[in-house]
Amino acid sequence: MSERITDIGPPHYSKFLPPVIKENYGKWKYHTIPEPGVLIHVSETGDELISVRVASPRLITTLFARDLCDIADKYCDGYLRFTSRHNVEFLVSDKSKLEGLKAELVQRGLPKGGTGHSVTNIVHTQGWVHCHTPAIDASGIVKAVMDDLFEYFGSHELPAQVRISLACCLNMCGAVHCSDIAICGVHRTPPTIRHEVLRHLCEIPTTIASCPTGAIRPHPDKTLKSVIVNEERCMYCGNCYTMCPALPCFDSEKGGVALLVGGKVSNAKSPPMFSRLAVPYIPNDPPRWPDTVVTIRRILIKYAENALKWERVGEWVERIGWERFFEVCEIPFTFQHIDDYKFQAYDTYRTSMHFKF
Amino acid sequence: MHKTPLLDQLESGPFPSFVKDLKRLAPTKPAVNDLLGQLERSYKEKITHWKHGGIVGVLGYGSGIIGRYSDLPDEFPGLEHFHTMRINHPSAWFYTTQALRELFDIWDEHGSGLLNMHGATGDIIFLGTRTEELEPAFQKLTAKGWDIGGSGSAMRSPSCCCGPARCEWSCYDTLEACYQLTQEFQFDLHRPSYPYKYKLKFSGCPNDCVAAVARADMSMIGVWKDDIRIDQSAVEAYMGGELKPKGGGANVDKLDVQADVVDLCPTQCMWLEGKTLKINNRECNHCMHCINMMPQALRPGTDVGCTVLLGSHAPILEGAQMSWVIVPFMRMEEPFDELKELTSNITEWWAEHGKNRERVGELIMRLGMRAFLEAVGLPPVPQTVKTPRANPFFFWHKSDFEAEDAGRKYHTTK
Ligand code: HEM
Ligand code: HEM
Ligand code: HEM
Ligand code: HEM
Ligand code: SF4
Ligand code: SF4
Ligand code: SF4
Ligand code: SF4
């Protein structure tokens, strides 16, 4: 066997930087956004780099990706990058190529946007395309929501930027817990226990230890070599299923979408905030999840109408109060909204008289 | 070709359609055709058809591959195996088309041709291949200078914002720091030996474009200590409406510097004297608001480094946490020795005391901040807390009394 190469890590990024970046690395002075989706960075040396940001579905084929390469060859000397929110950025060093690039993007149906006060691409996970624990699909909901909010992707009309994210189960592999609007897949049924399989497949102590709420106990009948689940304590997280495949907790009727709102990660003005539960459950409704889409639009529109200039969703809700948020967005408040999970619950209870009717 | 009436409804609409894209590849890739078929089944039945993984990998590595099998292999034979390969991305996701095409050639030959640009941790995700293709694909990747990323209880592929490569606000070289730390921890990335995952993310300024505070066990966020740089003539241009707020990223024609900037400064440390903007920089808390508003007039200072925050993880198991400040300021210059050493100290302490699947943030909650700070040699400093405790239930250790006996008022690690 020839010498195997291992542990080399990723290639050094300097191989992939266009000359204008190499020459102006660390010397950028300011940027402008002349139109949605187009950023111009200006260096202390006077050099300029134009970045054109376009949407991508994240789940792509090599055909799509090769198309992106063809475009980058034609207009960007072969240089492009991807953003942390799954957008593609074409890095244009030669200003005269910008109009041609824009025209080609239109012709190929690749929308530009995602800058400034827009709804940019939705950070999301695998869903039914590739994971074993999702309560919802990822790519399909993202497509449906972005189709509906498309006007906000390519404009700067909102009071501030709005970041939407999706995670298809409570493991939250995407980044949704600190998003202006978070779409989270939720299961609502405890695991069914396949005793006859469990004894062969699973180690009982690790299965018991996997449950965050301590809902799993050894089966009282020792000869079964299995476990029981205290259904009242189960919060349907699927952790046990990950440890032990004999404990599936899915149900085609009871899974669905929860919406959380008001998170942010940036430190701008206010500190980073967690997203908070707005809608505990919307039934799965493929292929286009119309209820989810309509509810997100309602929240977005109410925010756009009522927030002050520069206010993020979470800052708006904090100013008006959550009681007002539920009223304005016509969302019923339920037992599910009141936190009762472990220690963090207390932090959410109101200890002042500062509320509204 | 499988019939997909439900998925077909996702072909219309203005946002790029993954269904349209997958259908282009399906005729030449039976696995992609089967994936569409199985996804259609999931859409009909509202349930996933993937089985829990199994352990697969490449020789000598314990991570980077996620085993995946269909629970309907007879109907969709192309999905019998459909494993994921995580490919460690380059810093800030810059590419040349030549490098990308080399990757795609390997993937077309050895896999489904389906991928994510990128996974939520940052890696390039190659979706769908058979066990026997893993090793050949791996060898072709390394021959071209690529390596696979982390998974399982290991160091995960670190990621960073575009930093000095394309952002005027970056307070340190996020790309180089990310690269060097990735190299430093290659062993831990490929051979899971931690209690659970450990993620590093690097953002150049408090805007935190890679969501480090929420998505990394260890979050390095750029910060400055001196004065915000001001171009007073540009401030006047904003007042006069010649320059647009947020570089044009907001639908607002003219900035009201008093109302939109000065009055919204959370520390009230700025004011206008006529047309001159004044900042009491000692009181600024680096929120970035004024800089975001007037990118042509204001820039972070030049005495720069990063804040190290620790501990964020998703809600499972103990409830979610965001990272909290453990080192308010660290100079970030090559070769980043201080950060490498701190990272090793922390992972060693955690590997020694952590339970299986306990993130470092959860361990600190279990054993206490003091135990952690003493173990890794960090002093108590007020920047690390929002407020001091409100209860009088605090502890005194032997080391505290020894410090008193030695004539020092308090015990501290530094
Ligand atoms: C020069 C380039 C960039 C500039 C000037 C810039 C500027 C900003 C600003 C001003 C904010 C928000 C501050 C606020 O809350 O008002 C922000 C947040 C953010 N940016 Fe960037 N950004 C740049 C590049 C990027 C890139 C390339 C990405 C992704 C790849 C990115 C991702 C984000 C994310 C995720 C946030 C946090 C949003 C949140 O709070 O949820 N940014 N950026
Ligand atoms: C019991 C806990 C968890 C299980 C069983 C789990 C399982 C998985 C699986 C199976 C995948 C691969 C999906 C696929 O490609 O088929 C995945 C991906 C991922 N997981 Fe988790 N996960 C868990 C917890 C977490 C947590 C707590 C985080 C982070 C906070 C996380 C972050 C990720 C990320 C970033 C990905 C890549 C997702 C993507 O880009 O689509 N996971 N996880
Ligand atoms: C439906 C609700 C939520 C969803 C879908 C969600 C989703 C996610 C996802 C996808 C990640 C990790 C991504 C990555 O590692 O790349 C994550 C991480 C995290 N979430 Fe959430 N989250 C939710 C609620 C919350 C809540 C309520 C909190 C806190 C109160 C929270 C705190 C965190 C923290 C601290 C992390 C750290 C990331 C890590 O472990 O790497 N999340 N969340
Ligand atoms: C070592 C612990 C504590 C000491 C020595 C202490 C001492 C005192 C003292 C001397 C008073 C004033 C009594 C008076 O003049 O009427 C008082 C009042 C009070 N304490 Fe504490 N306390 C302690 C812990 C706590 C804790 C942990 C709580 C609650 C969590 C608490 C709640 C109160 C309340 C509610 C009052 C009445 C305050 C008021 O009248 O406004 N105390 N405490
Ligand atoms: S969020 Fe849950 S369902 Fe989605 S990819 Fe992660 S583990 Fe799988
Ligand atoms: S689904 Fe989660 S809460 Fe329910 S039994 Fe399994 S591990 Fe415990
Ligand atoms: S985190 Fe700061 S330095 Fe990095 S890209 Fe975002 S705005 Fe620029
Ligand atoms: S960065 Fe924030 S705190 Fe500092 S001067 Fe500007 S607005 Fe005020």
Side-chain angles (χ1 to χ4, degrees), chain A residues 264-272 315, chain B residues 205-208 222-224 228 261 264-270 283-293:
Chain A
K264 73 196 269 276
V265 295
S266 131
N267 286 274
K269 293 208 300 286
S270 52
E315 292 168 332
Chain B
C205 82
N207 280 333
D208 194 2
V223 70
W224 67 96
I228 291 176
V261 183
L264 293 180
C265 167
T267 60
Q268 298 287 296
C269 69
M270 50 181 12
E283 298 309 318
C284 162
N285 72 2
H286 316 105
C287 85
M288 294 297 293
H289 173 67
C290 57
I291 299 174
N292 289 336
M293 285 295 171

Side-chain angles (χ1 to χ4, degrees), chain A residues 13 25 31 33 137 143 239, chain B residues 15 43 168 173 176 247 357:
Chain A
Y13 57 87
Y25 198 87
H31 70 279
I33 310 178
D137 187 36
K143 165 77 172 141
N239 254 310
Chain B
F15 201 74
Y43 269 54
E168 63 270 25
D173 191 341
E176 187 61 22
R357 281 170 47 88

Side-chain angles (χ1 to χ4, degrees), chain A residues 8 10-13, chain B residues 91 174-184:
Chain A
I8 55 173
H12 196 261
Y13 57 87
Chain B
S91 289
T174 52
L175 290 83
E176 187 61 22
C178 180
Y179 178 76
Q180 291 216 15
L181 271 283
T182 308
Q183 290 297 344
E184 177 79 10

Side-chain angles (χ1 to χ4, degrees), chain A residues 125-127 130-136 138 166-174 187, chain B residues 68:
Chain A
T125 45
Q126 302 293 358
H130 206 252
C131 193
H132 67 293
T133 53
I136 57 178
L166 178 147
C168 30
C169 83
L170 303 194
N171 288 326
M172 300 177 181
C173 299
H187 293 292
Chain B
R68 183 65 70 223

Side-chain angles (χ1 to χ4, degrees), chain A residues 191 210-213 215-216 229 234-240:
Chain A
S210 74
C211 177
T213 66
I216 306 179
V229 173
C234 175
M235 49 111 170
Y236 334 112
C237 70
N239 254 310
C240 52

